[in-house]
Amino acid sequence: QVQLVESGGGLVQAGGSLRLSCAASGRAFSSYTMGWFRQAPGKEREFVSAITWNTGNTYYAGSVKGRFTISRDNAKNEVYLQMNSLKPEDTAVYYCAARYSSGYSPSVNVYPHWGQGTQVTVSS
């Protein structure tokens, strides 16, 4: 069974940085795509970034491109989201997700495995 555990959230001032981590266990993830999503109060969960585990191809939502960087550590089975130049509108619960596919998708519905989420709050 796939288990995903996020960490690294917190409170930061606008312009600051945070690094989120997602520890994955329960499978060999070489054929998986890993995603980061976020959900702000009163809003739907939205795609942030994704990485294909085997090739390392990366994908970003337009709102975070150039500010966020996704990466992975194959040896540790961990995925990271480095978030720089944070804005108040980045405030949300951030979720790590996994799908058994080497193909990228920004759709929430195609990721069957989710972590519990970690809160990121950016103050102005």
Side-chain angles (χ1 to χ4, degrees):
Q1 183 165 347
V2 174
Q3 290 187 321
L4 304 173
V5 179
E6 303 98 332
S7 61
L11 173 64
V12 64
Q13 288 189 332
S17 298
L18 281 174
R19 188 194 194 208
L20 305 183
S21 298
C22 173
S25 61
R27 287 286 190 273
F29 288 93
S30 59
S31 297
Y32 276 69
T33 293
M34 306 297 293
W36 283 100
F37 292 77
R38 66 187 181 186
Q39 188 167 18
K43 295 188 176 181
E44 293 188 352
R45 194 168 298 188
E46 65 175 5
F47 171 77
V48 175
S49 183
I51 185 168
T52 54
W53 202 285
N54 54 350
T55 63
N57 291 337
T58 58
Y59 308 88
Y60 297 95
S63 59
V64 307
K65 197 167 187 178
R67 300 189 297 123
F68 291 11
T69 302
I70 191 171
S71 62
R72 84 233 187 275
D73 185 324
N74 290 348
K76 294 183 178 180
N77 264 10
E78 292 187 351
V79 178
Y80 309 103
L81 187 68
Q82 178 66 44
M83 306 186 296
N84 299 329
S85 302
L86 282 161
K87 305 175 181 180
E89 50 264 44
D90 294 318
T91 294
V93 177
Y94 282 71
Y95 296 90
C96 177
R99 66 186 294 243
Y100 182 71
S101 172
S102 58
Y104 151 74
S105 173
S107 173
V108 169
N109 296 327
V110 302
Y111 288 82
H113 308 290
W114 293 84
Q116 83 287 351
T118 185
Q119 176 70 47
V120 171
T121 303
V122 184
S123 62
S124 57

